[in-house]
Each structure stands twice: as structure tokens, then as C-alpha cells.
Amino acid sequence: MTRVSATGEALGAIEVLTREHGRLMFFQSGGCCDGSSPICLPEGELPLSPYDLELGEVAGARFYIDEDLYERWNRPSFVLDVSPGAPEGFSLGAGDTHFVTREANVTRA
């Protein structure tokens, strides 16, 4: 089972940001500054703890989440996407877009 995947738009944004910043990483936030948005940073900029879980890799960028949060959210699979508007907090954004995650296999109305 794939625990993280990405839309074509997100893959394009990752490609642009990788050219500008080098290798990237994502960390799925569970609240606080960035709400529950994924934070995109140059790889290694966010120190990881022993309690952070790597869910997979998208376009060469590793995707992490706090292990307890992942369990509380019932081990979802995520789809990384982009949405209009600048990112909040300290996450990188591509142009006038920011990254969002959606739970895989959930139908949106």
C-alpha cells in the first residue's frame, strides 16, 4: 500500500522548488502554526525526532509525520496536492500555490 502519492500539479511544483532549493522534504503538520498542512522545506532544514515516521517519497522528496499523530489519524494514506494562495508559516510554496494533503480514497463533494 502506498502511504503517500501526489497529483500532477504537486509533482510540477516539487520540480520547480527542487530546481530553486535543492532536495526537499515534507512534514505533515498536525496543528499549530500551519494548521494541518504539509510543510515543505529544503531537505535537512527541519530536525527529525526518533518519533517521526517516514511515509514515503514523492518526486525525490521524503514525506514525514509524527508517529503518534499518524496513529491517532488511523494510519491514512495521503495525496499531496496544491491549492491557490501563498503558504502560511515557513513552508515553501511554488508561485501563488501552497501544498495541501488529502486523504486517499476519500470522495470530495
Side-chain angles (χ1 to χ4, degrees), residues 6-82:
T7 65
E9 292 84 1
L11 294 173
I14 293 168
E15 183 179 317
V16 168
L17 289 170
T18 299
R19 283 196 304 265
E20 292 177 19
H21 301 279
R23 287 184 59 94
L24 303 173
M25 65 184 288
F26 286 90
F27 191 88
Q28 178 63 48
S29 178
C32 184
C33 305
D34 287 315
S36 58
S37 297
I39 301 167
C40 177
L41 299 165
E43 185 176 70
E45 191 166 305
L46 180 70
L48 298 171
S49 84
Y51 306 105
D52 294 329
L53 175 66
E54 183 179 344
L55 293 185
E57 196 172 292
V58 177
R62 293 181 175 152
F63 190 100
Y64 299 92
I65 189 171
D66 175 83
E67 190 171 20
D68 287 341
L69 178 62
Y70 187 64
E71 291 297 324
R72 280 194 309 274
W73 285 358
N74 295 317
R75 301 180 184 185
S77 292
F78 294 104
V79 177
L80 186 64
D81 201 356
V82 293

